[in-house]
Amino acid sequence: MDYGACVVRVRSAVGQFSGPFASVYRHFSLGDAFPFVDFHVDIEPGAGFRRWVRPQSRFLIDCVQPFDPFAASHALPHYEWGLNWSFAQRFNQYVLLHAGVLAVGDRGLILPAIPGSGKSTLTAALMLAGFRLLSDEFGVLRPRQGDFLAMLKPVALKNASIEVIRRFSPSAEIGPTFSATRKGDVAHLAPDVTSVAAVHQPARPAVIVFPAWREGAALELQPQAPEQAFTRLAFNSFNYGLLGRIGFDAVADLAAACPAYQLTYSRLDEAVRALRSLVTVSSEGGANG
Amino acid sequence: MAERLPQPLAHLLAILQDPQRVEGVALPDWEPVIRLARAARVHATLGHRLSANPHFWARVPEQPRGHLQAAMNFAAWRRHLLDTELRALDSQLPADVEVVLIKGAAYHAQRLPLADGRLVADIDLLVRRADLDVAEAALIEAGWCSTVTDPYDQRYYREWSHEIPPMQAEGHALELDLHHGIAPVTSRCQPDPVVLWAGRRRLPDSRYFVLDPVDQLIHAVVHLFQDTELDGRLRDLLDIDAMLRALPDDGGEHDALAARVGMFGAGDLFWHALGACQRWLGTPVPAVLWPSPPSHMHVALMAWMLPRTLLPRLPEEPAGLRGSLAAKAAHLRYHRMRMPMGLLLRHSLAKGWRRLRLRRVR
C-alpha cells in the first residue's frame, strides 16, 4: 500500500480484515512491486484457542506486538490505529502535526485541531466537495522543503459524523460501521480516485485554519496572529518537542508564511464554501508562500 | 577472515566501516539494511556516519534516508533528555558523593564521536560501594523508585550484582542504573576498586567523573559479554571498535590497556571482543593488545555462538535450530558468567519453583 509518505506491506490471516480493508481502500492499487517498504505489518489471529473462541486480531510490526489485541471483528480499525501509532513513533524525519490536510491544485489547506473539534468530519466534507485529500490525521511537514506530503488514509468518522457525512453527500463511499470501539462507533470514508492518483504530489501550505464545530453557531472566520498560530501548531504536533530546533524552525516558518484563521461553524456546507473561497482568494493574492 | 554473511548484513557492516561502500547499495537492498540496523539499534549511528559526508549522504535514496534522519532526530532528543536528567541529578545526589558516569552517559558527556547516534536507553552511574546506600537514599528522596518489587529479585541484585535494581521516576523517560562496580561480583574479571577509582577524571565544569579511557574500554567489553544476553549487541561492538580506534597510536595507551586487561583478569573476554571487532568491523588491532588466547574449547564455543547471537537478523527470519540453540547456550553462558555454579543451580531452582507456583495460582 502506498500512502504517499510511506509504503506499508500488510499481511493478514484474519478473515474479517480483508473485506472491510478492500472496501475502504477501493481506489488504491495493491501491488508488491514497491522497491522499498517502510513498514512491515501483520494482522494475525489470536494464538491457541483464541483462534476459535472470541477470535482476536493482533497487530504486529516487524513481528513484534506493541499493544493488546482487539476483537477480530474490529481488525480494520485496529490496523488503522496501529499504523497511526507506528507512523507517529518512527517517522521523526518530518514534523507530524495533528491536522487534516487538503489541497486545491498544489495549494494546501492545513486544519490543525485537538481531538473532538470536528476535524475529521470537516476534512471528509471538503474531500467530498472536490478538495484533494492528503491526510486526515497527520499533517506531514517536510522541515527543509516546508511542504506537506500526503499520508492518505481512509477518514475515520466517529459516531454522529457517520450519518452527517452520509447526508452531506449520498455518494460518499463509507465502509462498514464498527460499533463500540474505544472511540465509540467508527466508519471509514474511502479516499477518492483523484486523491489516490495524486498521492505523490506534495502541497504548499497556503492557509491554516483551526476549525471548531459549535452547535447552532453562526459561521465566523477570525484571523490569527502568526505567533498565535505558531503556538497552536506546536501544541497540535506529535513530535514538536522531540524535534527540538528542527521542529521550532519548521513550525515558525509555516506560521510566518501562511495566513491563519480560527473557524467557528455549525453547518458543513457553509464551512466548505468559506474555506474554498479562502484558499482561492489567498491564491489570487499570491501572498507569502 | 572470509566468511559468508547474508548480503544485507554484509552491506550494513561494510557501510558502518566505510561509508564509501554506500555506492554499491541500490534501493531494494536498502530495505533489509534499514531493518537490520533498526533491529540492532544502530540506525542512528549509521545515519551519522553517512551524513558526515554530504557526498555519501546524497547517495542514500530518499526513503532509507528518511528512516536514518528520523533515527538521528530521535537519538538527539534522547541525548537532550539525558542532559536534562544529569542536571537534575546533580542537585539530587549528595554533594560529597563522587559520581562517575559510565557507558552512554560517559560517552555523551565526553562528547565522543561514538555518542553521535547512539541511542541512550538509561543513565548509568557508578559510586563507591561505601557511598551506595546514601546515594540510593538520596535518589529515593528525589522521587526515584525501584522497578523491581519482587523480594527474591531484589535480594539477587543486592547480593550478586554490581548494581542495584533499575530505578524510575514518574514522568521521566530514562531509567537510572546505580552501580557500585563494573563487573558482576562473581565474574572472573575483577577490577581492583582502588585502581579503578584512581584512574577517574573529572569532567570539565562538572561534578561528574568518567573512568580512565582504558577502563572505559574494559567496561564496554565486560558489559558486552556479561551484562547482556548477547542478542543483537552489534551496538556494543561498535562502541568497543570506536574506542579502540580512538586510542592514540604512540603505543603508550596500548601498553597501558594491555597491562590493565591482565591486571583485571579480563583477558579472555578481551580476546573475544578483539576478534569480533576485527572480524566484523575491520578494527585494526595492534599486536601488543592481544592477550593469550582462551582454551580451545572456549574459542570453539564462542566462534559458534557469537555470529548466531551477536549479529542482528531480520524479524521474519526464523532463528533456525542452530540459531535458537546458540541463543540458549548464550543465555546459559550469560548466567554462568554472572553466578558461580552452586548459585546458578539454586537460582534456576528458585525461578523454576516460582514459575510452577505462579502457574497454579493462575
Side-chain angles (χ1 to χ4, degrees):
Chain A
M1 297 293 305
D2 189 351
Y3 288 88
C6 68
V7 172
V8 179
R9 188 213 64 195
V10 53
R11 293 187 300 202
S12 173
V14 175
Q16 284 151 293
F17 178 72
S18 52
F21 180 85
S23 156
V24 299
Y25 285 97
R26 65 185 74 180
H27 300 302
F28 286 69
S29 47
L30 296 176
D32 48 10
F34 297 104
F36 186 98
V37 169
D38 294 286
F39 298 104
H40 300 75
V41 174
D42 290 281
I43 302 294
E44 288 197 348
F49 74 95
R50 290 310 292 263
R51 219 169 249 266
W52 319 107
V53 183
R54 291 178 46 214
Q56 291 177 323
S57 111
R58 295 157 59 217
F59 178 94
L60 289 95
I61 176 154
D62 287 337
C63 301
V64 173
Q65 181 184 327
F67 28 71
D68 288 343
F70 276 33
S73 55
H74 287 174
L76 179 68
H78 190 201
Y79 166 72
E80 293 292 317
W81 185 69
L83 183 57
N84 285 347
W85 180 87
S86 310
F87 188 76
Q89 286 280 315
R90 288 193 179 176
F91 262 39
N92 291 307
Q93 66 268 48
Y94 305 125
V95 181
L96 302 178
L97 301 173
H98 185 241
V101 180
L102 299 112
V104 176
D106 79 331
R107 305 189 51 76
L109 166 65
I110 321 299
L111 302 169
I114 51 171
S117 47
K119 166 180 66 68
S120 293
T121 320
L122 182 58
T123 303
L126 286 164
M127 183 194 83
L128 293 166
F131 281 65
R132 170 163 81 89
L133 176 64
L134 281 90
S135 62
D136 168 43
E137 189 76 14
F138 291 102
V140 183
L141 171 59
R142 291 202 287 187
R144 209 167 286 177
Q145 295 87 339
D147 57 3
F148 281 82
L149 296 182
M151 177 60 192
L152 186 60
K153 302 182 71 213
V155 180
L157 300 167
K158 285 140 224 152
N159 303 316
S161 304
I162 306 169
E163 228 10 76
V164 170
I165 290 300
R166 278 217 176 89
R167 259 183 282 127
F168 181 80
S169 169
S171 63
E173 297 168 319
I174 300 178
T177 301
F178 303 94
S179 46
T181 70
R182 295 182 325 145
K183 301 206 162 173
D185 293 355
V186 172
H188 301 86
L189 171 69
D192 60 14
V193 181
T194 324
S195 304
V196 173
V199 80
H200 283 292
Q201 269 175 45
R204 302 287 325 166
V207 191
I208 303 164
V209 174
F210 301 96
W213 180 85
R214 209 161 294 145
E215 171 116 53
L219 185 122
E220 191 187 359
L221 265 176
Q222 205 177 11
Q224 303 273 293
E227 59 273 20
Q228 216 171 350
F230 171 85
T231 318
R232 297 184 73 176
L233 284 164
F235 178 74
N236 280 296
S237 164
F238 292 90
N239 59 354
Y240 176 78
L242 184 148
L243 288 175
R245 171 145 198 188
I246 301 171
F248 177 87
D249 288 345
V251 172
D253 288 348
L254 176 62
C258 284
Y261 301 88
Q262 155 87 30
L263 167 72
T264 315
Y265 71 100
S266 58
R267 292 180 49 101
L268 270 183
D269 50 351
E270 281 179 9
V272 168
R273 222 175 301 134
L275 291 178
R276 192 195 301 282
S277 63
L278 204 56
V279 175
T280 348
V281 167
S282 76
S283 148
E284 282 158 10
N288 309 311
Chain B
M1 192 184 302
E3 66 180 313
R4 249 182 301 145
L5 294 172
Q7 207 207 23
L9 185 55
H11 277 314
L12 174 62
L13 296 177
I15 305 170
L16 282 169
Q17 278 176 57
D18 178 6
Q20 195 173 348
R21 301 285 291 276
V22 77
E23 306 278 358
V25 185
L27 180 59
D29 299 331
W30 270 105
E31 184 185 307
V33 171
I34 294 288
R35 298 185 79 201
L36 282 175
R38 181 189 300 283
R41 295 170 62 82
V42 300
H43 47 330
T45 299
L46 181 64
H48 271 282
R49 294 192 176 183
L50 282 166
S51 62
N53 180 324
H55 174 71
F56 300 143
W57 190 228
R59 305 293 299 191
V60 185
E62 192 180 339
Q63 276 179 285
R65 200 167 57 210
H67 284 261
L68 298 176
Q69 186 65 57
M72 287 191 276
N73 293 346
F74 183 77
W77 175 61
R78 301 292 286 194
R79 289 185 78 175
H80 171 75
L81 290 180
L82 178 59
D83 260 337
T84 314
E85 290 295 359
L86 289 177
R87 266 199 303 277
L89 284 164
D90 186 351
S91 56
Q92 291 168 359
L93 289 158
D96 56 344
V97 171
E98 289 191 347
V99 181
V100 176
L101 304 180
I102 51 177
K103 296 197 283 191
Y107 309 150
H108 163 73
Q110 297 168 94
R111 302 284 180 252
L112 298 187
L114 75 89
D116 290 336
R118 195 182 183 280
L119 287 173
V120 177
D122 41 28
I123 314 158
D124 292 286
L125 306 178
L126 174 71
V127 296
R128 289 191 175 85
R129 188 84 168 92
D131 289 331
L132 186 63
D133 290 344
V134 44
E136 185 184 6
L139 289 172
I140 291 170
E141 177 74 17
W144 292 90
C145 45
S146 185
T147 55
V148 172
T149 48
D150 184 285
Y152 178 87
D153 291 340
Q154 274 281 355
R155 224 187 91 198
Y156 165 76
Y157 266 101
R158 279 162 207 282
E159 282 181 30
W160 297 103
S161 187
H162 53 300
E163 60 191 318
I164 63 168
M167 301 177 97
Q168 275 175 344
E170 193 157 329
H172 294 237
L174 301 177
E175 278 194 355
L176 180 74
D177 287 336
L178 188 59
H179 301 244
H180 56 83
I182 62 167
V185 179
T186 49
S187 167
R188 243 168 304 168
C189 164
Q190 281 309 329
D192 178 344
V194 177
V195 177
L196 194 68
W197 277 89
R200 75 194 185 286
R201 319 175 159 197
R202 190 188 281 276
L203 289 162
D205 307 317
S206 167
R207 74 163 288 164
Y208 297 113
F209 294 83
V210 291
L211 296 174
D212 186 302
V214 299
D215 292 333
Q216 291 185 41
L217 233 169
I218 294 176
H219 183 210
V221 171
V222 174
H223 176 72
L224 168 61
F225 289 113
Q226 297 194 325
D227 247 9
T228 70
E229 301 203 9
L230 283 176
D231 239 359
R233 302 313 300 191
L234 179 58
R235 185 190 82 165
D236 298 68
L237 207 60
L238 281 171
D239 290 346
I240 298 167
D241 163 72
M243 283 189 271
L244 283 169
R245 287 175 192 263
L247 287 177
D249 56 4
D250 57 11
E253 291 287 319
H254 291 147
D255 291 334
L257 175 58
R260 198 78 131 213
V261 166
M263 187 200 300
F264 287 174
D268 284 4
L269 299 181
F270 216 73
W271 192 90
H272 292 301
L274 291 177
C277 279
Q278 198 179 45
R279 181 170 170 194
W280 292 314
L281 299 173
T283 321
V285 181
V288 58
L289 281 189
W290 286 103
S292 49
S295 73
H296 282 306
M297 215 184 77
H298 200 179
V299 169
L301 176 70
M302 291 293 269
W304 173 74
M305 202 159 66
L306 281 185
R308 286 170 183 79
T309 52
L310 192 140
L311 297 174
R313 59 190 165 78
L314 290 172
E316 285 89 5
E317 209 172 284
L321 183 60
R322 280 146 57 95
S324 58
L325 262 180
K328 287 244 160 58
H331 182 75
L332 262 179
R333 185 193 149 276
Y334 159 71
H335 284 291
R336 175 73 188 89
M337 290 284 222
R338 297 190 62 142
M339 300 179 204
M341 192 47 94
L343 176 67
L344 179 57
L345 284 174
R346 224 172 71 201
H347 176 74
S348 311
L349 272 176
K351 283 282 182 190
W353 169 240
R354 288 148 53 78
R355 216 168 293 144
L356 269 178
R357 258 187 22 203
L358 279 177
R359 205 168 287 167
R360 244 185 289 157
V361 171
R362 243 182 249 156

